[in-house]
Each structure stands twice: as C-alpha cells, then as structure tokens.
Amino acid sequence: QQQVKQSPQSLIVQKGGISIINCAYENTAFDYFPWYQQFPGKGPALLIAIRPDVSEKKEGRFTISFNKSAKQFSLHIMDSQPGDSATYFCAARRWGEETSGSRLTFGEGTQLTVNP
Amino acid sequence: DAMVIQNPRYQVTQFGKPVTLSCSQTLNHNVMYWYQQKSSQAPKLLFHYYDKDFNNEADTPDNFQSRRPNTSFCFLDIRSPGLGDAAMYLCATTRGPGYGYTFGSGTRLTVV
C-alpha cells in the first residue's frame, strides 16, 4: 500500500522559475516529513524536513509548505538553477519512535530538470 | 568527510553467485538500514538494525541476508543473485529517535 503519493513524476522548469512538488500521505501517525535530493549515481541527501506543528519551513531557496488537515505537503524551489536538476523524494516517518513500524516511507520521486 | 561509506561503488556478479556488499559508518549511529533502489523508483527498505536487533521487512526475499558485527559495519549478503536483483543498494544510518537519516552513495549491482 502506497502511503505517500508524490506528483508530478517529472518536471521541467526554466532557470529562475519556481519548482513545486507535491506529496500527500494517508497515515495520520506520520509526524516527520523530510525531502531528499538525489543526483545520478549518488545516495539521497536530506534537503529539508518539517514537523506538523508548523505550516512552513524555509531554508535558503527551499521551502516546505505543510497542510495537516489536508494531509499534504509540498516542496518549493525558488529561483531554480540547473544545478538543482535531480530526483526529489518526499518521505514520511513516525518521529521519535524507533520501532519496526517507523521506517521512512518514500514517495515515488520527481525528476526535476532546470533548463538554462 | 565521508560518514557512511559503501563498498564497492560498482559490483558485477554472475547469476547465482553469492555477493556481499558492505557499509561502514563513522557516525556511531545506533540504527542502520539497507534499501534497494531500482531505476526511477523510490528506495525500498529491505531490513534495518536497531543496535543489534534485526528487523526484516515482510516482503524482503529470503535470498537477502544481513549481518552487523559491530556498530560501525553492516553487510548485505545476496545468496543467489538473480537478474531482478540488479539495482542500487543504499545503506543509511540514524542516531535513533528524533534524528534524520544519512545515506551512503550506494553500490550499483549488476547481475550478468
């Protein structure tokens, strides 16, 4: 059962534009929502993460918006650059409880291409 | 400074020939994970260790085994690789509750 749904599957943006990737989750026990950036041939790297006690978190050009009632969260990349071209994964996890039930659940991934 | 190190980066093995992938970490993290990632797909959890406690995912094939001899090292053994096991294998660690994951760069496994 896919518990985190991500869209779009691929995204093409012009340099300087805004990239927006959306995720929706089903499990209300999730309370930690990270975004990972993955370049070809590399492992995923944590980009930014949010907990549901805030509706927005910003780090540089990257912003997570979180809507707890809708069970949705999104990644916004402002002033997108060609170097941002990568695959982005949203994920969810039950925070603070390391049991067999609280591993990261990943979305399907979004391949972002930023054209120069 | 590399923190989660996977070796080798690329591994070619023959169909049915056992292969071992390794992961080491310099972070002294309690929890280690093995993920399988196929092309254009999300990482899929195979198993994880919380300290020495081993947790196997229900749908992880019996062909996959893991060992964690100490905090720093974790191994993934594939007893009889099939063509469908060709993938990127990712190791990740976390200190435990309240902390994010750190991934290694992965091992790309090819089965011929």
Side-chain angles (χ1 to χ4, degrees), chain A residues 13-79:
Chain A
V13 174
Q14 291 300 118
K15 179 182 176 181
I18 302 173
S19 303
I20 301 174
I21 305 170
N22 301 299
C23 282
Y25 63 98
E26 299 169 5
N27 189 343
T28 55
F30 290 148
D31 60 359
Y32 172 66
F33 303 91
W35 284 90
Y36 285 85
Q37 179 188 57
Q38 186 176 27
F39 293 105
K42 299 288 188 180
L46 179 64
L47 193 61
I48 187 172
I50 196 169
R51 295 199 64 191
D53 51 346
V54 296
S55 60
E56 186 175 281
K57 183 175 181 180
K58 184 176 181 179
E59 291 183 0
R61 296 184 295 109
F62 301 92
T63 300
I64 298 179
S65 296
F66 186 84
N67 186 330
K68 187 174 181 178
S69 60
K71 293 187 286 186
Q72 295 176 347
F73 58 110
S74 60
L75 175 69
H76 297 234
I77 306 175
M78 311 300 288
D79 188 25

Side-chain angles (χ1 to χ4, degrees), chain A residues 2-6 22-25 30-36 44 46 48-50 64 66 73 88-94 103-109, chain B residues 35 42-43 101 103:
Chain A
Q2 179 64 38
Q3 294 192 54
V4 180
K5 295 189 176 182
Q6 184 173 345
N22 301 299
C23 282
Y25 63 98
F30 290 148
D31 60 359
Y32 172 66
F33 303 91
W35 284 90
Y36 285 85
L46 179 64
I48 187 172
I50 196 169
I64 298 179
F66 186 84
F73 58 110
Y88 292 81
F89 292 97
C90 64
R93 176 182 167 185
R94 197 161 52 206
R103 80 276 287 171
L104 272 178
T105 299
F106 284 91
E108 300 95 328
Chain B
Y35 283 85
Y101 286 26
F103 280 87

Side-chain angles (χ1 to χ4, degrees), chain B residues 44-64:
Chain B
K44 177 182 180 298
L45 183 64
L46 296 173
F47 13 64
H48 77 276
Y49 283 91
Y50 188 73
D51 288 330
K52 293 185 178 180
D53 293 335
F54 176 72
N55 294 275
N56 196 29
E57 292 299 294
D59 57 355
T60 298
D62 293 339
N63 197 25
F64 290 82

